[in-house]
Amino acid sequence: MKTILAAYSGVLKGTGSSILSALQDLPVAFWPCRSKMEKHLQVISVLQWVISFLAMGAACTVLLIYMFCTDCWLIAAIYTAWLIIDWNTPKQGGRRSSWVRGWTVWTYFRDYFPIRLIKTHNLLPSRNYIFGYHPHGIFCFGAFCNFGTEATGFSKKFPGIKPSLATLAGNFRLPVLRDYLMSGGICPVNKNSIDYLLSCNGTGNAVVIVVGGAAESLHCTPGMNAVTLKNRKGFVKLALQKGSDLVPVYSFGENDAYKQVIFEEGTWWRSVQKRLQKILGFAPCLFHGCGLFFGNSWGIVPFCNPITTIVGEPITVPKIEDPTEEMVDLYHAMYIKSLQCLFDKYKTRFGLKESDVLYIQ
């Protein structure tokens, strides 16, 4: 009992120990299911991110509109005014928070799958980079954990390099969600935002672009090793214009987080998905993971399969303000070859067979 009171007292006095740390110091007899508790925390950490990404923006928009009809209208008006003033911040480097990127919740997020980041080559802080991330998966768990947080130690592995994960610009038009994303160093995937990071923000910047985007998410399913890249050349042209080196990144296990119903080309459902993709900017996928309480039930909790992200060798790119189509094609071909070599080199280490190949669509 004295041990319990001592732990509780330490928390109240603000000694810097978290509540969980205090509880972990308790005797084993008092805390018999610590491993189960940690597993629950891992599930909650992943679930909060999924729900935040899916619903936070819409929920906060509805709440803001509702507040205008209540006695809290002044708070809503002040926030709306600030939102208008702050509208262009996401395009100008955002508002990164080292504190948010270092939250303990992200370590539980990392350990749920678990997610690992593997460095293959050094990156020079005197250069800027464009990381091409593959594959998209459903929620880009590997991309977010590795580049939107410090859970896998990006800053320690790549000292002097500041990652900025690019995502749909529409997310930054939604109240609260925009600030949540910016705090992790996440930016809109549009020309203005990327131009600013690579031209007006000094060196040591790494813009992470999920090249396949929404179109690639429609093909992701466990065991599938395919990327949408054959006709995606915009990021290569941008790298040439800014003189930023290209870095291929592949995440083994990204497609294993959910099971998805894949509709064949030409079917009515596939047509609906593509039409909504053009309207909304993302593809509505029909997918499922496991249940919150029972692992063998269906739900939105992802399967806890390992995700290993490999950061490949940078391709040195010259600065050409107006690159020709031939020059873009040359570096695009170099990038594809580098990505394929990266996949082939590491595939057998992470559960794939020697005969497995990477399909470039």
Side-chain angles (χ1 to χ4, degrees):
M1 188 65 182
K2 289 181 179 179
T3 307
I4 298 173
L5 291 174
Y8 180 69
S9 175
V11 173
L12 292 180
K13 289 178 180 178
T15 59
S17 299
S18 65
I19 293 176
L20 182 59
S21 297
L23 291 174
Q24 288 176 338
D25 291 335
L26 296 179
V28 176
F30 182 81
W31 195 251
C33 302
R34 201 167 91 185
S35 60
K36 286 187 177 181
M37 184 63 180
E38 289 196 356
K39 189 61 180 178
H40 292 328
L41 290 172
Q42 291 169 9
V43 172
I44 291 170
S45 68
V46 173
L47 194 59
Q48 68 82 25
W49 167 249
V50 172
I51 293 174
S52 295
F53 192 81
L54 289 176
M56 179 186 283
C60 290
T61 300
V62 172
L63 178 62
L64 186 64
I65 295 171
Y66 171 75
M67 287 176 67
F68 274 107
C69 304
T70 68
D71 293 338
C72 298
W73 67 268
L74 183 58
I75 296 175
I78 293 172
Y79 179 79
T80 302
W82 177 81
L83 196 62
I84 294 170
I85 295 170
D86 194 58
W87 193 253
N88 289 324
T89 298
K91 302 176 186 177
Q92 299 170 350
R95 194 163 37 245
R96 180 187 303 263
S97 169
S98 299
W99 176 65
V100 173
R101 285 177 60 86
W103 276 354
T104 303
V105 67
W106 305 132
T107 64
Y108 289 112
F109 183 102
R110 174 199 67 198
D111 293 339
Y112 173 78
F113 295 93
I115 296 173
R116 287 195 298 159
L117 177 67
I118 294 181
K119 167 186 174 180
T120 62
H121 291 78
N122 291 324
L123 299 181
L124 300 175
S126 58
R127 299 284 292 173
N128 283 330
Y129 302 89
I130 292 180
F131 285 19
Y133 184 90
H134 313 271
H136 184 285
I138 298 292
F139 282 108
C140 299
F141 289 119
F144 169 71
C145 185
N146 289 307
F147 307 116
T149 79
E150 286 296 328
T152 54
F154 181 92
S155 295
K156 292 181 180 178
K157 292 177 180 178
F158 299 97
I161 306 298
K162 185 167 61 176
S164 298
L165 176 61
T167 188
L168 286 175
N171 291 324
F172 296 88
R173 302 188 186 102
L174 301 173
V176 183
L177 177 63
R178 67 192 293 275
D179 301 289
Y180 191 34
L181 295 176
M182 281 194 291
S183 65
I186 301 175
C187 67
V189 63
N190 58 32
K191 191 173 185 300
N192 292 336
S193 175
I194 297 174
D195 275 355
Y196 181 90
L197 289 168
L198 298 178
S199 302
C200 308
N201 204 37
T203 59
N205 299 290
V207 177
V208 185
I209 300 176
V210 185
V211 178
E216 190 173 87
S217 67
L218 292 175
H219 299 283
C220 72
T221 188
M224 174 65 72
N225 304 301
V227 297
T228 302
L229 179 59
K230 191 175 292 183
N231 297 314
R232 300 292 174 103
K233 301 179 181 179
F235 74 106
V236 177
K237 183 177 181 179
L238 184 61
L240 285 163
Q241 291 173 333
K242 302 303 175 184
S244 301
D245 295 347
L246 289 166
V247 181
V249 180
Y250 195 87
S251 271
F252 292 93
E254 184 72 63
N255 284 344
D256 298 334
Y258 289 105
K259 292 180 180 178
Q260 181 183 189
V261 178
I262 305 294
F263 298 105
E264 296 294 331
E265 292 291 340
T267 61
W268 184 81
W269 281 106
R270 178 50 67 99
S271 299
V272 170
Q273 284 181 315
K274 288 186 173 181
R275 185 178 294 275
L276 289 175
Q277 176 190 330
K278 291 181 179 180
I279 297 172
L280 303 175
F282 64 91
C285 303
L286 185 59
F287 65 92
H288 76 85
C290 55
L292 181 59
F293 301 107
F294 302 100
N296 58 352
S297 61
W298 286 19
I300 62 170
V301 179
F303 298 111
C304 49
N305 297 317
I307 298 175
T308 305
T309 303
I310 315 291
V311 179
E313 182 178 4
I315 301 169
T316 303
V317 176
K319 185 174 182 178
I320 305 173
E321 291 186 4
D322 188 19
T324 63
E325 188 174 337
E326 290 76 15
M327 185 64 72
V328 173
D329 288 343
L330 173 64
Y331 278 90
H332 184 257
M334 289 172 61
Y335 179 86
I336 290 178
K337 183 178 179 181
S338 182
L339 179 64
Q340 286 179 322
C341 289
L342 184 70
F343 177 85
D344 290 337
K345 182 178 180 180
Y346 289 95
K347 61 184 178 182
T348 55
R349 302 186 194 182
F350 304 109
L352 300 183
K353 295 176 292 189
E354 188 63 44
S355 58
D356 287 331
V357 296
L358 178 64
Y359 296 98
I360 308 293
Q361 299 175 336

